[in-house]
Amino acid sequence: MAIAKARTIGVSGALGVSGLNDLLRQFKKLDKEINKTIRRVNIEIAKEVSNDAIKLGKRQTVAGRPVHRRDRAVRGIKARARQNQASIELQGHKNDAVLYLELGAVFQPVPVRRKNGDKFTYYRQKDLGRLPKSKPGAGRLYRSFIGEKAFNSKKGGYVVGKTIQNALPQIADQYLDRVFKAIENQMEMNKVVNIPIRFATGNTKILGKITRAA
C-alpha cells in the first residue's frame, strides 16, 4: 500500500528567541554535549505536550458520545525532537484513527451487507439520521472535518493543535531557563576529577616497557 507524503503544520505561535542561535554556537565551542542537552530539553517539552494531548483525546466526544476509536487514536500521538525543535507526530500511516481524532471527518462508514463482500458504505456525516434507511438515533462518529482549516490557519486540530496552543505561552516563558539549567547540569556532570599518578624513578626495571603518558 502506498503511503502519501506527510504534511506538516507549523503551528502558529511557535517559539522564536532572538539571538538564541548565536548563543548556542558559543556554547558548542565550550562543550560538545550541548546539542544533545538541548535536544533533551526539547524532547521533554514534546513529551509533556503529547501527554496532555493524549489526555484530551481520551475525553473527546461528539454529540455527547465518545468519538469512535478514541482510545486507539491517542496511541498514534508521538513526541519528537531535534536540537532546534520540539514536535508532535501523528502517525496516520500506522493508525488512521488519530487523523479522525485530530481533523474530524466528512464521510462516515456505515455497515452494510452486500453479495460482493463489501462490509461498509460511506455517507456524509451531516446526512446520518436523515436518510430513508437511517436507524433511529443514528449519529456521527467523528467531529466535523477541519482539515484544510487546520493547515491554513496553522493552529492544528481538535486535540494536538489545541494542546499546543494552550501550552505555548508557558513554554515560551520557561524555555530559556530550562535550556540554561540543563546546560549547567551537563557542564557540572562533565567536571570529572582526574588524578594522575606520576612515577618519578630512574629504575626502568621496575616500570618495564610502560609507555609514558605525560
Side-chain angles (χ1 to χ4, degrees):
M1 180 178 68
I3 299 174
K5 184 178 180 181
R7 294 179 65 186
T8 301
I9 304 177
V11 178
S12 60
L15 184 64
V17 180
S18 177
L20 179 60
N21 288 337
D22 289 338
L23 183 62
L24 296 182
R25 278 193 287 269
Q26 295 301 318
F27 273 124
K28 288 179 205 176
K29 294 178 182 178
L30 299 176
D31 194 309
K32 64 181 181 180
E33 294 294 318
I34 293 299
N35 282 346
K36 295 179 181 179
T37 302
I38 296 172
R39 183 184 179 280
R40 282 197 294 269
V41 173
N42 288 339
I43 194 64
E44 288 173 4
I45 291 173
K47 286 180 178 179
E48 292 167 5
V49 174
S50 66
N51 288 339
D52 288 342
I54 289 170
K55 292 176 184 178
L56 179 61
K58 286 182 176 180
R59 300 194 305 267
Q60 191 185 85
T61 59
V62 56
R65 294 180 290 190
V67 164
H68 186 49
R69 300 188 298 167
R70 64 184 184 183
D71 288 337
R72 169 178 168 77
V74 297
R75 295 200 293 269
I77 300 174
K78 301 295 181 181
R80 296 287 184 261
R82 295 181 294 185
Q83 185 221 332
N84 62 345
Q85 184 184 70
S87 62
I88 309 298
E89 178 184 350
L90 302 182
Q91 295 186 323
H93 61 298
K94 297 180 179 179
N95 180 354
D96 65 345
V98 71
L99 300 181
Y100 292 116
L101 187 76
E102 180 71 11
L103 303 175
V106 177
F107 296 95
Q108 179 172 310
V110 177
V112 294
R113 293 180 181 178
R114 293 181 177 174
K115 294 181 180 180
N116 63 3
D118 290 345
K119 297 181 180 180
F120 295 94
T121 187
Y122 287 81
Y123 294 100
R124 290 183 178 274
Q125 287 200 121
K126 65 180 182 180
D127 294 332
L128 295 176
R130 299 187 298 177
L131 297 170
K133 296 183 179 181
S134 290
K135 293 182 179 180
R140 58 179 58 197
L141 298 178
Y142 308 104
R143 292 190 177 184
S144 299
F145 183 68
I146 58 168
E148 288 304 315
K149 181 181 178 181
F151 283 93
N152 293 336
S153 68
K154 295 186 178 181
K155 291 187 177 180
Y158 290 113
V159 177
V160 175
K162 182 178 180 179
T163 304
I164 291 174
Q165 289 294 325
N166 291 338
L168 274 175
Q170 182 177 355
I171 293 172
D173 184 54
Q174 299 179 354
Y175 185 76
L176 279 181
D177 288 339
R178 294 181 67 164
V179 168
F180 287 136
K181 184 64 176 177
I183 292 173
E184 180 182 4
N185 290 341
Q186 182 62 47
M187 295 182 76
E188 286 296 324
M189 289 173 61
N190 288 349
K191 292 180 180 178
V192 179
V193 177
N194 181 25
I195 304 177
I197 301 176
R198 297 183 183 274
F199 293 87
T201 178
N203 191 338
T204 57
K205 292 183 180 180
I206 296 177
L207 299 180
K209 295 183 178 181
I210 298 175
T211 303
R212 292 181 61 188

